[in-house]
Each structure stands twice: as C-alpha cells, then as structure tokens.
Amino acid sequence: MAGSKILIVDANAASRKFVAETLQKDGHHILQAASGKEGLIVAWRDRPEVIIIDPVMFDLKGEDFAIRLRSDERTSRVFLTALSSDPLPARVRSCMDAGFNEYLVKTAQAIPALIEMVGRALGDTTAVKEGGFLIAFMSAKGGTGTSSLCANIAMNIARNQPEARIVVADLVLPIGSIAEIVGYESKQNLVTIADMPAPEITPEFFREHLTALANWHFHLLAGSPDPENGSQLKVGRIGDIVEALKASYDFVLLDLGRSLSWFSQPLIEHADLIAMIVSTDLGTVTLTKTVWEYLRSKGVQAALLYTILNRAVGLEGLTKAEAEKIIGVEIKMAMPYLGGNFSLANNLHQPIASKFPQDTASVVLKEASQQMVDQARRLRAK
Ligand SMILES: Nc1ncnc2c1ncn2[C@@H]1O[C@H](COP(=O)(O)OP(=O)(O)OP(=O)(O)O)[C@@H](O)[C@H]1O
Ligand SMILES: [Mg+2]
C-alpha cells in the first residue's frame, strides 16, 4: 500500500539512507532515526505501520527496543523487522523472542526480501474478513475447559458439515494441551512450523501437511509440546500462520487459552466469533467481566461473543442468570458438569459425542456448534 509510514532505525547513516531511498521509490513515507531511543520517540509520536531496525545499536539493544514497543499500546501491534548486521542464530532467536516479526541479515539479497516483506506486512494490517471463519476460544482464567470445549466443538462443527474443512490451532503458551486431548503424537507443531522459512508457510503447506484426526474429523496444528520449546517459539510468525490457515480451511478454531498478549489480541479483534468460556466460580466470572470490558474498550463488538458457561468445577457455583448479570453479556450456552466422564473421554482421547452420545453434554455441544456457525455466518452476511 503506497503512502504508508515506515520507520527506519539504524545507527549507520549510509545503510539507513540506502533503505530509505529504496522504499521511497514505492511511494512510502519514510521516517528515520539514528538511535534506539530516538526510534522509540518517533514510533510513539508518528505511529508508523512498519519499523525496520538494525538491532545492533549503541544506546538500546534491539531486543529492549522490541520489548518497549510491544508493551506500549500505541505500538504493541506494529510490524517490526530486523535488518541486521548481526547474523548469529542466537541473536536471531533473542530478537524473535523479544517480539520481532521477522529477522533479515544485511546481505545483497536482503533488499528484495525486505520489499516483499513490507508489502506483505502492509497487506496484513488492512486484512479484511475473508477466507475461512476464525473462531477464537478464550477464557479469563485457566482450567475453565477452554481446550476441551475447543476440540469438542470443532469435532461437532466438522460432523455437522462433512463437506467443510476444519482446523484447530493450539496457540496456548508455554505449553498446549489439545494434542494430549485428541491423542496426537507427531513431532510437528506450532514451534517447528514457525521455525520454517517464511516463504514456505503457505496455505498449500497447511492444506497438505497438517495431520487429519480420524476420530475428531478435523486437522490439527498442535501447540508447543513443552515450556522449553514454547520459549523458543517465533511468536511474530503467528499472524502469518493464521492468515495461511484461513486461506486453506473453512473454519479455523484457535485455542488462545487465557492469554491476552500482543499476538493474541489482534487475533481476537479479527475473529469472526469469540467463544468466551466461563466457569461458574465467582472469581472466574468477575475476571471475565474485566477481560470483556477491556476488549470492548478496544472496539470488540458484543455481537461477536459466544459465551459458554461451563460447569467445569462441579455442581455448585453461580447460575446462568447470576453470571450474566455480573459480566453484562448474554450467556448463549450452559455446559453441564460431567464429573469424571469429561476427564475420562479426554484421557481416552475421544470426543464426548463419541464416548457418551446419549449424554446431555453431547446434545449441548452439538447445539452450541450449530449456533456458533450460524452466528458467524450471520455476522459475515451483514
Ligand atoms: N463440564 C465439565 N465437566 C467436568 N469436567 C470438566 C468440564 N469441563 C472441563 N472439565 C475438566 O476440567 C479440566 C480442565 O479442562 P481444560 O484443559 O479443557 O481447561 P483449560 O481451560 O483449557 O485449562 P488450561 O488453563 O490448563 O488451558 C479437564 O480435566 C476437563 O476434563
Ligand atoms: Mg487449555
């Protein structure tokens, strides 16, 4: 998109000038800064869409620059790439961990790659709702049943619509749990995929290389298998991964767990539907109110919410009406307490609908999945 603001931060004046002139030819408005601190000031004042920075700087390391950008609301979601004079893998890793989206090393080939990447980043920031439906599963607190419901609702969506292609992506850090619930054992996961060269992360790749789970009727992008791997995830790649999934599946269900972070928040804001899972204890209900008010202040429409009250913790706790009153939103579905049966199905890696087809829970899951699809379709039709 011509006319976009791009900030170049580089202590090396010749390098900065060269990149600036190259991008200016494409009609972009170029801002420049010669140090990290100056770069932050310009970024917060002028709000560029893209920042290109050499992380090797005298006043502020690129990693610290990234952390400060990501923790400030004005720049938490800006596209940040390194054009770096440091080619060491350890440096690439530490920058990606700190919140860089991409890392290019200064070489002769870097400029075409940079131009291509800038184009892609600017395209992303104007992304409209197209492609598959994006359904974000989240909760305000852990242990509310988000992952189990995500997997079981995905299974029901798939069964209700045999012609549709469904994928579940487990984005919970530092460790995902959908693989365990569905009995997935392959080595491929979010971390290994995010580690692939960016041009290989395409819709075709996801169409052909994600495992199809026969019992569950969906494909899985498994999450991080352990915290060690999770800490090495190139988080900056997640946006591109989700875009590619949307281009190759009809429904993309994301398990975001209880994380609200610089990478999960844009996914929530771009979702077609937000499945908010609430357990019946007062603590979770109160936290849900806080999280929802925050999302609403970011412009998320109440129409996108599909709130499920899940009796994950037992028969006691608040009623639907009490929870609705506290959170201030309608609760669309109440999932009954299944006692040990829920864990039993999980431990056997089986969907509730297959293990306990006659149980009320199976009926509720089927109904919820149908309502969610209908709601998402209605919203798109507007
Ligand atoms: N309706 C229910 N009835 C009985 N047990 C339930 C119910 N919902 C969830 N559980 C149980 O609660 C536990 C937590 O579920 P799950 O892992 O899906 O939650 P989560 O919100 O994803 O947790 P985490 O914060 O660890 O990601 C599991 O043992 C699951 O079997
Ligand atoms: Mg979970």
Side-chain angles (χ1 to χ4, degrees):
M1 206 178 31
S4 301
K5 271 190 237 165
I6 300 178
L7 168 61
I8 303 165
V9 188
D10 196 328
N12 180 330
S15 166
R16 206 172 61 229
K17 187 158 168 277
F18 177 69
V19 176
E21 283 171 359
T22 306
L23 292 171
Q24 232 151 16
K25 285 187 202 133
D26 285 344
H28 298 301
H29 179 63
I30 306 297
L31 308 161
Q32 299 188 40
S35 73
K37 284 186 184 140
E38 191 193 333
L40 282 176
I41 292 167
V42 176
W44 288 332
R45 188 189 60 207
D46 296 331
R47 316 270 190 105
E49 280 97 349
V50 172
I51 300 179
I52 301 165
I53 180 171
D54 187 339
V56 181
M57 274 181 309
F58 305 110
D59 63 331
L60 188 68
K61 276 195 314 177
E63 288 86 337
D64 297 326
F65 181 89
I67 290 165
R68 292 180 65 176
L69 272 188
R70 294 298 180 218
S71 57
D72 189 290
E73 197 173 312
R74 290 165 292 181
T75 48
S76 61
R77 289 156 57 178
V78 64
F79 187 90
L80 175 65
T81 182
L83 183 62
S84 177
S85 41
D86 185 349
L88 291 178
R91 192 66 192 266
V92 178
R93 186 113 270 163
S94 67
C95 283
M96 295 301 286
D97 284 350
F100 276 79
N101 294 84
E102 297 281 355
Y103 195 101
L104 291 176
V105 177
K106 281 181 184 168
T107 61
Q109 299 83 46
I111 292 298
L114 182 72
I115 291 171
E116 189 265 336
M117 183 190 296
V118 166
R120 197 154 38 86
L122 293 172
D124 278 357
T125 57
T126 56
V128 285
K129 287 191 175 155
E130 55 188 27
F133 289 100
L134 188 65
I135 306 185
F137 279 72
M138 63 175 297
S139 59
K141 206 172 166 194
T144 52
T146 309
S147 301
S148 314
L149 289 182
C150 179
N152 276 285
I153 285 172
M155 182 268 185
N156 277 275
I157 291 179
R159 221 174 39 165
N160 291 349
Q161 283 143 125
E163 72 297 344
R165 289 171 50 80
I166 323 287
V167 65
V168 172
D170 185 342
L171 304 184
V172 177
L173 290 175
I175 175 169
S177 64
I178 303 245
E180 171 53 34
I181 293 171
V182 302
Y184 169 90
E185 282 171 352
S186 150
K187 290 265 174 288
Q188 185 188 56
N189 60 51
L190 180 65
V191 183
T192 63
I193 289 174
D195 221 18
M196 291 173 14
E200 289 176 23
I201 303 179
T202 59
E204 293 69 42
F205 170 82
F206 289 114
R207 200 168 296 139
E208 283 155 29
H209 297 289
L210 287 186
T211 303
L213 303 164
N215 290 343
W216 292 82
H217 310 287
F218 60 74
H219 290 71
L220 178 66
L221 171 50
S224 161
D226 56 61
E228 181 63 37
N229 265 283
S231 72
Q232 293 180 1
L233 171 66
K234 289 182 179 164
V235 179
R237 287 274 158 77
I238 288 181
D240 284 346
I241 290 176
V242 173
E243 281 303 312
L245 289 173
K246 280 181 59 173
S248 49
Y249 289 86
D250 299 307
F251 291 90
V252 180
L253 282 75
L254 305 179
D255 182 2
L256 298 175
R258 53 153 191 179
S259 92
L260 259 185
S261 63
W262 67 267
F263 78 86
S264 70
Q265 197 176 315
L267 296 174
I268 295 166
E269 288 171 17
H270 283 119
D272 288 279
L273 199 72
I274 302 164
M276 180 74 84
I277 315 302
V278 188
S279 58
T280 50
D281 56 294
L282 181 61
T284 301
V285 173
T286 311
L287 278 174
T288 305
K289 174 189 163 72
T290 308
V291 167
W292 167 236
E293 280 177 355
Y294 172 75
L295 289 175
R296 204 175 45 181
S297 77
K298 299 289 151 207
V300 176
Q301 305 282 319
L304 296 187
L305 270 189
Y306 188 92
T307 308
I308 303 180
L309 187 70
N310 181 25
R311 288 199 182 275
V313 287
L315 293 168
E316 65 283 3
L318 302 178
T319 64
K320 178 166 169 284
E322 286 166 338
E324 279 178 333
K325 196 159 165 230
I326 295 172
I327 308 171
V329 299
E330 183 195 347
I331 288 172
K332 300 278 172 70
M333 192 58 78
M335 180 75 187
Y337 178 57
L338 266 80
N341 281 353
F342 210 117
S343 313
L344 179 64
N346 282 358
N347 292 341
L348 294 170
H349 315 302
Q350 284 188 22
I352 305 281
S354 315
K355 181 72 188 151
F356 303 106
Q358 307 305 329
D359 200 290
T360 324
S362 294
V363 180
V364 169
L365 286 166
K366 180 161 192 261
E367 237 177 82
S369 60
Q370 194 55 56
Q371 286 183 4
M372 289 170 77
V373 169
D374 291 346
Q375 187 175 331
R377 289 215 168 107
R378 261 199 322 274
L379 288 164
R380 279 253 185 129
K382 274 191 182 158

